[in-house]
Amino acid sequence: MSEPDRDAAIAKAEAYFDSGDLRADLALRICMPTESQNPERTPILTDYIEAEIRPAFEALGFSCRKLSQDGWPFLYAERLEDEARPTVLGYGHGDVVRGLADGWEEGLSPWNLVERDGKWFGRGTADNKGQHSINIGALRAVLESRGRLGFNAKYLIEMGEEKISPGLRKLAENHKELFRSDVLIASDGPRLSAGRPTVFLGSRGRDELRPLDRRAQRWTSFGQLGRAAFRSGNPTRACDLEHRVAERRNPDSGMAAGGNS
């Protein structure tokens, strides 16, 4: 992208935010209670991708199709400009955790976008409706600036991420050629700082390791080790487990399987 095109795209992206159009688009998406952990919301999961996200991509010249795996809906969108150009696959999810409306402060609701103290509140504002709304807006800004992306774009929106992505692995296996790309940009992750974008490079996938604390006779997660240790009254518990995990690390940074250490 030339410098003038880049500057024009950035200006359009900034105008999308400053004009209130991003907030308006996001508000429509927040008001759809896409709770994947609530079986009563199942029809809304499909409504979200068909009534809200599909039109947004089609307006940018993407062709879209609904995919289904193990009863879970997915939206696949693609815009192929030139076979000689690289292909970028984007990822996001439209489902959210339970709204828990009774637990919100007065004046706030999981299904209404509300601004307070310079922050936007509503279930999915960050995870993940806000993220894919920004990405769609960015694609539009580039297209409006120069009429083309300059690469082939594919995008997958799933609707079960908060249920540990049922069907996603099998979907990828069944549609390898459809998803084949040069770069994957999975826009769904934590930020190290609220005021600064975070980009993680080189992710090669992961397998979940769930340690069993035999003394406590319960499963625990690494993210809670410190808190679990202090609640148990034994502040060395987490450090002890951390050392045990380190001992099981093999030379190529993998984890040795088996054993009961």
Side-chain angles (χ1 to χ4, degrees):
M1 179 181 289
S2 67
E3 195 68 26
D5 286 343
R6 182 177 183 274
D7 291 342
I10 292 175
K12 286 185 176 294
E14 291 175 340
Y16 179 48
F17 177 83
D18 293 339
S19 67
D21 288 344
L22 170 61
R23 177 174 175 169
D25 288 342
L26 182 55
L28 291 174
R29 293 161 188 167
I30 295 298
C31 76
M32 300 185 72
T34 53
E35 301 168 296
S36 57
Q37 299 165 346
N38 182 354
E40 296 179 0
R41 304 296 197 185
T42 297
I44 300 177
L45 302 182
T46 296
D47 290 345
Y48 182 79
I49 57 177
E50 291 289 5
E52 188 57 39
I53 304 303
R54 177 193 284 266
F57 274 112
E58 289 181 340
L60 303 181
F62 282 71
S63 60
C64 300
R65 58 190 278 199
K66 177 193 169 189
L67 302 176
S68 181
Q69 187 66 58
D70 298 342
W72 290 87
F74 300 78
L75 180 72
Y76 172 76
E78 70 175 13
R79 178 188 167 99
L80 305 180
E81 295 186 349
D82 185 344
E83 291 184 358
R85 293 281 184 173
T87 298
V88 179
L89 173 62
Y91 163 87
H93 65 91
D95 66 311
V96 297
V97 296
R98 290 179 179 269
L100 304 174
D102 293 341
W104 289 61
E105 293 181 6
E106 185 177 354
L108 299 180
S109 163
W111 315 126
N112 288 296
L113 182 61
V114 176
E115 183 173 351
R116 179 178 292 181
D117 299 326
K119 298 177 181 178
W120 292 355
F121 292 85
R123 185 66 87 213
T125 50
D127 186 15
N128 179 257
K129 295 177 180 180
Q131 292 191 46
H132 59 253
S133 294
I134 289 171
N135 291 341
I136 293 171
L139 292 169
R140 181 170 58 246
V142 173
L143 288 169
E144 290 178 348
S145 298
R146 64 176 186 177
R148 59 187 176 84
L149 294 175
F151 57 90
N152 303 306
K154 300 179 179 181
Y155 218 104
L156 180 69
I157 299 287
E158 73 160 318
M159 298 303 296
E161 193 271 349
E162 302 294 358
K163 282 276 290 184
I164 318 180
S165 299
L168 179 60
R169 180 184 291 273
K170 189 180 295 185
L171 185 84
E173 292 172 348
N174 292 341
H175 297 280
K176 287 182 179 179
E177 290 305 314
L178 187 66
F179 298 147
R180 186 177 295 278
S181 305
D182 298 291
V183 178
L184 166 65
I185 300 179
S187 185
D188 179 33
R191 290 182 301 175
L192 300 181
S193 169
R196 189 178 194 180
T198 299
V199 177
F200 294 100
L201 302 177
S203 174
R204 294 171 292 177
R206 71 179 186 184
D207 280 325
E208 184 173 300
L209 176 65
R210 304 190 70 184
L212 175 62
D213 185 340
R214 297 184 184 277
R215 289 166 292 185
Q217 288 299 303
R218 63 179 176 83
W219 289 99
T220 187
S221 68
F222 283 120
Q224 297 176 336
L225 287 180
R227 290 189 293 276
F230 281 100
R231 280 200 302 268
S232 72
N234 185 351
T236 64
R237 182 79 61 82
C239 291
D240 179 51
L241 185 54
E242 182 179 352
H243 285 299
R244 288 173 179 268
V245 170
E247 289 170 359
R248 301 197 62 77
R249 199 174 189 83
N250 60 34
D252 63 357
S253 295
M255 293 299 294
N260 57 4
S261 59

